Amino acid sequence: VSNAGVGMAGPLECQSLAAMQSLMDTNFFGLVRLVKEVLPDMKRRRGGHIVVISSIMGLQGIVFNDVYAASKFAVEGFCESLVVQALRFNVAISLVEPGPVTTEFEAKLYEEAERADYSRTDPETADIFTNVYLKNSKDVFASLGQTPEDIAEHTLRVIEAAKPPFRHQTNAAYTPMAALKHADPSGALLTAAFYQLLFRHSSVLRLGLR
């Protein structure tokens, strides 16, 4: 089970390339290093199961989570490319894709975001992040967040499955988001929906979540 991960949220201009590279080294290359270690023996034995804790953000990017989402997209692409070859050797690969999970990980991330320096971006972007995104995110976690124990139960079901799924989403509330993306390959439908929720109906969104 690969579960290493770090987060990053905020305006792109305020994040250093060194921090982005460090995040990718943990979230993506950490997985790559693990798979390189375990896969050869699994192939020799003609059996094994690699379970990767991905994210719903590996399927859909979320505003102000540019680099974190990119790392999870990389995880998804890596596993999607590898799964067919692995099956030839009777090795299963499963992606567990949680939405928001209420942990100290997230609490620390948002504490850091609230006291960060946003002078490297324009005032409008800083205002959108601090007064729209952060407020909405707290409501999302309060309303839709799962416990670590719940994610562990989902992961255990994937591990014990007679035919392990390649993808397993843990939060049904995010099914419509994934469906919108598949319904319109151009991306226009989902982009418009997110724009309306963030900039036109933000107060209605927060009220609904509460």
Side-chain angles (χ1 to χ4, degrees):
V1 177
S2 173
N3 189 38
V6 292
M8 178 182 288
L12 185 66
E13 305 95 312
C14 301
Q15 297 161 349
S16 71
L17 283 174
M20 295 177 196
Q21 289 168 337
S22 177
L23 180 144
M24 291 296 293
D25 189 52
T26 298
N27 292 10
F28 175 61
F29 287 107
L31 167 64
V32 173
R33 286 192 290 269
L34 176 66
V35 172
K36 279 175 65 67
E37 288 295 323
V38 302
L39 187 60
D41 187 57
M42 289 182 175
K43 289 166 77 172
R44 279 192 294 270
R45 289 187 285 112
R46 296 269 169 177
H49 190 187
I50 298 169
V51 180
V52 181
I53 306 301
S54 181
S55 169
I56 197 69
M57 277 195 257
L59 299 176
Q60 170 60 49
I62 301 293
V63 63
F64 291 119
N65 284 269
D66 324 83
V67 180
Y68 178 79
S71 73
K72 292 300 184 178
F73 266 70
V75 164
E76 295 271 334
F78 174 73
C79 292
E80 193 170 278
S81 300
L82 194 61
V83 65
V84 175
Q85 178 205 146
L87 283 174
R88 177 70 177 174
F89 294 87
N90 195 36
V91 176
I93 297 176
S94 296
L95 289 157
V96 177
E97 299 163 333
V101 183
T102 306
T103 65
E104 291 181 7
F105 175 95
E106 295 296 337
K108 182 173 181 289
L109 186 65
Y110 287 115
E111 284 175 10
E112 291 174 352
E114 286 179 340
R115 60 172 182 265
D117 176 16
Y118 299 113
S119 60
R120 284 174 291 175
T121 190
D122 59 276
E124 185 177 0
T125 299
D127 180 68
I128 293 168
F129 177 67
T130 55
N131 294 317
V132 178
Y133 171 82
L134 287 180
K135 288 179 181 178
N136 283 340
S137 291
K138 288 178 181 178
D139 289 337
V140 166
F141 272 86
S143 177
L144 303 177
Q146 294 176 274
T147 66
E149 290 78 12
D150 192 17
I151 304 304
E153 289 293 336
H154 278 273
T155 305
L156 181 61
R157 290 201 291 272
V158 168
I159 291 170
E160 292 180 335
K163 292 185 177 180
F166 175 56
R167 284 192 170 95
H168 176 81
Q169 294 174 24
T170 69
N171 194 326
Y174 285 84
T175 301
M177 184 174 74
L180 275 178
K181 187 168 186 175
H182 288 293
D184 176 19
S186 77
L189 186 61
L190 191 60
T191 300
F194 270 107
Y195 185 89
Q196 291 293 326
L197 280 174
L198 188 65
F199 296 116
R200 295 283 187 266
H201 305 295
S202 181
S203 59
V204 176
L205 171 64
R206 288 202 301 274
L207 182 64
L209 288 169
R210 289 171 184 168

